[in-house]
Amino acid sequence: YARDDNLLFGERIYRPDARLWLHRVLARIVLKAAESLHAQGFRMVLYDGLRTVEAQQAMLETRQVRDNPQWLREPRLLSPPGAGGHPRAMAVDVGLETPDGRLLDMGTPFDFLAADPEPAANPAHREHPDLSPDVRQNRALLTDSMMQAAQALGTPLLPLPQEWWDFRLPKEVYESYAPLSDADLPPEMRMARG
């Protein structure tokens, strides 16, 4: 969310120099999965990790979110400030690409938010019934790599059902930590603009 090509149609919520941060347990899973994918001829794309409380609030204040209030109704597609794995650096948004930088077809772009989050209406949902065989294979490659890495490290991992790109530590793990605000972080780790 530091770049123009995001679901918020160019409304940047991160500082231009923001970096991606993950809790060390999740970072180990991502690294192990990326190594496995690399050995299979793919590269992992990291889109988002830590999203501070202020960044979550800024996201909810964008025009795109105001124009889509259904994203904030249960089951929510966007978490309220301080909720979920992202403000604890315990959720990661990832994709896959070829060595030459071509993104694999996952059925939707990263961060696609449907008007209806139910599986039949949401092509980003992991259980969407109308996915091509290639999309199913690409999603399985990503999910299997992440889940096998977590299992090898003895760490539970949850693929978020509504978003093929989102993997997080379980709720009982991330809720044992407080959400992070930019004020909690050293200046080089702060995320939100302004």
Side-chain angles (χ1 to χ4, degrees):
Y1 302 105
R3 300 176 3 174
D4 289 334
D5 58 343
N6 66 61
L7 87 121
L8 305 172
F9 296 104
E11 290 190 60
R12 299 177 184 188
I13 60 168
Y14 290 163
R15 298 172 3 174
D17 61 342
R19 296 172 62 192
L20 190 140
W21 300 97
L22 295 175
H23 186 279
R24 67 177 181 226
V25 171
L26 184 56
R28 287 184 191 120
I29 294 170
V30 169
L31 181 59
K32 188 163 192 62
E35 289 168 347
S36 170
L37 289 161
H38 179 75
Q40 298 175 66
F42 299 98
R43 293 191 310 204
M44 182 179 281
V45 179
L46 300 168
Y47 293 112
D48 199 18
L50 172 64
R51 187 180 305 148
T52 58
V53 172
E54 292 83 1
Q56 280 183 307
Q57 182 62 46
M59 180 180 277
L60 299 184
E61 293 170 1
T62 63
R63 180 179 185 90
Q64 183 68 358
V65 174
R66 286 193 313 268
D67 289 347
N68 289 280
Q70 73 276 8
W71 294 347
L72 306 177
R73 292 192 289 267
E74 295 299 332
R76 297 176 70 105
L77 293 176
L78 293 174
S79 297
H86 280 292
R88 294 159 175 86
M90 293 182 176
V92 65
D93 297 337
V94 294
L96 292 175
E97 66 182 14
T98 61
D100 63 354
R102 184 180 50 83
L103 289 172
L104 269 61
D105 183 2
M106 296 295 194
T108 70
F110 153 71
D111 248 1
F112 175 87
L113 298 182
D116 182 345
E118 294 303 314
N122 179 6
H125 199 289
R126 294 176 188 276
E127 300 299 323
H128 185 67
D130 299 322
L131 300 174
S132 74
D134 285 345
V135 168
R136 287 187 191 285
Q137 181 179 356
N138 293 341
R139 287 187 184 186
L141 175 64
L142 178 61
T143 300
D144 292 349
S145 296
M146 289 292 288
M147 299 308 289
Q148 288 168 8
Q151 184 177 17
L153 294 169
T155 304
L157 187 68
L158 171 69
L160 192 67
Q162 302 93 316
E163 301 174 355
W164 60 259
W165 57 85
D166 187 300
F167 296 85
R168 56 191 54 217
L169 299 180
K171 186 175 185 177
E172 60 271 12
V173 174
Y174 68 70
E175 283 194 342
S176 65
Y177 292 83
L180 295 169
S181 292
D182 280 307
D184 299 327
L185 303 170
E188 67 274 10
M189 288 183 69
R190 293 180 184 159
M191 303 297 295
R193 294 178 64 88

